[in-house]
Amino acid sequence: ATTKTKIGNSEFRNCFMNAAGVYCYDKNELEQVINSAAGTFVTKTATLQSRSGNPEPRYHDTALGSINSMGLPNLGFDYYLDYLLELQKTHPDRTFFFSLVGMSTEDTHTLLKKVQESDFNGITELNLSCPNVPGKPQIAYDMETTENLLTDIFSYFKKPLGVKLPPYFDIVHFDQAATVFNKFPLTFINCVNSIGNGLVIEDESVVIKPKNGFGGIGGEYIKPTALANVHAFYKRLNPSIQIIGTGGVLTGQDAFEHILCGASMVQLGTTLHKEGPSAFERITNELKAIMDKKGYKTIEDFKGKLKYL
Ligand SMILES: CC(C)(C)CCc1c(C(=O)O)[nH]c(=O)[nH]c1=O
């Protein structure tokens, strides 16, 4: 069996990659993902200026997953763009993902115009969990703002673009969000970002410093939510918009379930943070074993073919 995949016009030797934020802060980490069994990588979400992020501890592992309020620590847009352009020379046969977000709508357009005008030929992932104007929920939970933002972006951005989405929990929100996304030539949507504002306690205390311990939840806790978001959008979106599945992938079976729900690519976050880049080879082998047992030669043989009762 082969676990190769395609996103837009780009082919990848493997359908696994890191989730933005994990193993992607600098060249050292990104190089480890390049040299692993992963098919590609996505950068840490980049902002116009570099950011130190929130006070530590800001990430904490638990038995069933993780919690984080990193606060977007990153080396700044130019660092990642320079590295991506260097990789286009040293690895011309590979396509990489560039995650970015503006701290304001204006910054988002500045960033995307820079990408559009650059020689970057990879895929851009816009983080829609980005902050909105104070008093309003994150962009992706504000459908009008999301539609207006995407309308403006697609007036000038002509390179492959996808959006990283927080989980939705209401069927009406799946309907409303899909209606908006179907209006645009998105290459993909990535479901899901961490489940926002969870709280982990040890003994009598929170475990991270920012936001009185509130943070995004990842890991085993979130697989049912991640699978539901992947499948809900798979059933609602134009087939031209592919789905990247993220959330709760610890084993080849978890990846198999994401693909069964409609994912064309699968990202590792918490598992990668805990296990390191060797997780890519382990999980790839586990998925191949499942495919061999079931007689599936490629992921297209079972992608989106979730059975109902
Ligand atoms: C939550 C934001 C800081 C607005 C975006 C960056 C981000 C972070 C982060 O940098 O805190 N953590 C996540 O789990 N997902 C994210 O999208």
Side-chain angles (χ1 to χ4, degrees), residues 31 40 42 50 56 72 90 120 126 153 178 213 216 222 280 282 304:
E31 193 130 330
T40 185
V42 58
S50 64
E56 295 179 328
L72 264 174
T90 56
F120 176 63
L126 176 64
I153 289 171
I222 77 167
F280 287 114
R282 174 179 63 81

Side-chain angles (χ1 to χ4, degrees), residues 20 44-45 51 54 68-73 101 103 127 129-131 164 193-194 216-217:
K44 169 65 187 174
T45 300
R51 290 169 54 90
N54 288 333
N68 88 85
S69 273
M70 307 300 285
L72 264 174
V101 75
M103 292 312 286
N127 187 338
S129 286
C130 43
K164 177 70 173 288
N193 206 324
S194 50
I217 303 296

Side-chain angles (χ1 to χ4, degrees), residues 194-263:
S194 50
I195 293 182
N197 296 305
L199 188 58
V200 169
I201 296 170
E202 285 185 353
D203 190 17
E204 298 182 0
S205 170
V206 302
V207 297
I208 56 174
K209 189 176 178 70
K211 297 177 64 177
N212 289 331
F214 283 56
I217 303 296
E220 271 183 76
Y221 300 112
I222 77 167
K223 188 175 76 169
T225 293
L227 293 177
N229 276 259
V230 168
H231 197 54
F233 284 110
Y234 181 75
K235 300 295 280 185
R236 290 169 171 77
L237 293 182
N238 302 332
S240 60
I241 305 178
Q242 294 179 267
I243 318 269
I244 294 181
T246 306
V249 179
L250 285 75
T251 66
Q253 175 62 27
D254 299 325
F256 179 78
E257 292 169 13
H258 266 275
I259 298 165
L260 210 53
C261 288

